[in-house]
Amino acid sequence: MDFVQLTPEQRRSFAEDGFLVVPNALPAVTVDRLVEASDRLAEPLLKKPEMTGRPEYNHLDLRPGLLREEALFALVANSSTVPLVIQLLSPNIHLHSHTLIYKRPESPDAPTFRRGWHRDIRIPRDLGHESLPLVGIKICYCLTDFHQPNSGMTLMARGSHLRSTPLALPKGQVDPADVEVCDLRLNAGDAILFENRIFHTATPNRSNRVAKVLMYGYSYRWMKTEVYLEVPDKQQLAKADSITRQLLGEYRDVDTQPWALQRWAKRHGVLPETVPWTVEV
Ligand SMILES: O=C(O)CCC(=O)C(=O)O
């Protein structure tokens, strides 16, 4: 995996907003390859007859089996984005989740489907909303353009990662009024990094084309991965480089050092200082 330096400006805006746009994260040829593979995975949805007014028929949220597609496997250690995640978290990370999301066009009159503001990984269910830690970052890769409002891009509530209370929805409304709701305009090939604490939600696609994204979530290695990631394919793993193998859970024991990414981080001057257990006073 090549090195990309996280700039001070990117670090600041991620810390303030809870998300970061990486324009042109993927070249067009990679997007084409990913779309081809993703369309194969999404074939059952794409082949279904049109069902207006039934948004659940027009939406795919596919998780198991994605990495069997080589193009999607190669994205696990993608050079334009994963180095940024490592610099924002640490080298002690692995792939925690992945999702292929397709949304077919929906009529404006259809009932809202899967609209639900939330924070990821359900941590607030146990820890509450106060003093939540940053433990994971998702990379959302756009496989299609999102040039119009309401094109199905996930909405982000800017700065809400620092909120210590639930999101307040005015009575009868589906969106909050006291935070900036960002419906980002993006090109195919752009990526958004967003962290586990930011409030975000799915939205219907009111454009006239299918909205396609891939989301890869990374977290510290001491966070249990989603169940469909637990047994990576042995043949694919054997062919992969050491960083990809770490990201796919090669070091099962959390006490084992994350050697592959530690070495990589050291080589590029971004290895964080070791936090000591004790200090002499
Ligand atoms: O479907 C979407 O746009 C949102 C996905 C989402 O909320 C998530 O990955 O946590």
Side-chain angles (χ1 to χ4, degrees), residues 90 163 165:
S90 88
R163 201 178 168 104
T165 52

Side-chain angles (χ1 to χ4, degrees), residues 189-263:
D190 291 350
I192 319 167
L193 273 54
F194 64 97
E195 60 132 288
N196 60 287
R197 297 173 297 178
I198 192 167
F199 282 94
H200 59 284
T201 180
T203 51
N205 172 13
R206 312 279 199 220
S207 77
N208 56 10
R209 49 192 291 198
V210 181
K212 306 176 182 181
V213 301
L214 273 165
M215 292 205 189
Y216 284 47
Y218 298 82
S219 72
Y220 290 114
R221 280 194 316 129
W222 31 264
M223 304 256 317
K224 185 174 174 288
T225 57
E226 298 282 6
V227 69
Y228 50 80
L229 276 174
E230 273 178 0
V231 190
D233 181 276
K234 285 212 171 73
Q235 278 182 337
Q236 265 181 324
L237 263 193
K239 279 192 283 173
D241 59 79
S242 60
I243 289 178
T244 303
R245 292 204 307 271
Q246 171 181 325
L247 292 171
L248 291 177
E250 181 172 49
Y251 314 127
R252 304 279 306 162
D253 177 355
V254 287
D255 285 331
T256 303
Q257 301 285 314
W259 297 116
L261 279 177
Q262 266 184 357
R263 274 196 295 268

Side-chain angles (χ1 to χ4, degrees), residues 59-61 63 97 99 101-103 114 116 118-121 138 140 152-156 194 200-203 213 215:
H59 191 122
L60 174 77
D61 183 289
R63 297 173 187 221
S97 66
T99 319
I101 301 172
Y102 272 39
K103 294 168 187 159
R114 286 199 70 226
H118 64 282
R119 290 176 141 159
D120 272 342
I121 329 186
K138 272 185 184 160
C140 170
M153 175 45 64
T154 313
L155 298 181
M156 301 283 154
F194 64 97
H200 59 284
T201 180
T203 51
V213 301
M215 292 205 189

Side-chain angles (χ1 to χ4, degrees), residues 4-68:
V4 174
Q5 180 78 53
L6 179 77
T7 66
E9 169 56 21
Q10 284 177 314
R11 189 178 287 282
R12 188 195 56 73
S13 85
F14 184 78
E16 277 179 14
D17 296 340
F19 66 88
L20 175 71
V21 175
V22 182
N24 302 313
L26 302 174
V29 58
T30 306
V31 174
D32 289 349
R33 229 176 283 138
L34 288 166
V35 169
E36 195 191 317
S38 301
D39 281 359
R40 243 190 319 273
L41 293 165
E43 204 182 337
L45 172 85
L46 296 173
K47 273 186 158 168
K48 268 196 223 169
E50 290 253 333
M51 278 278 205
T52 44
R54 298 292 301 273
E56 67 277 20
Y57 279 82
N58 292 325
H59 191 122
L60 174 77
D61 183 289
L62 183 70
R63 297 173 187 221
L66 301 193
L67 301 187
R68 282 180 221 141

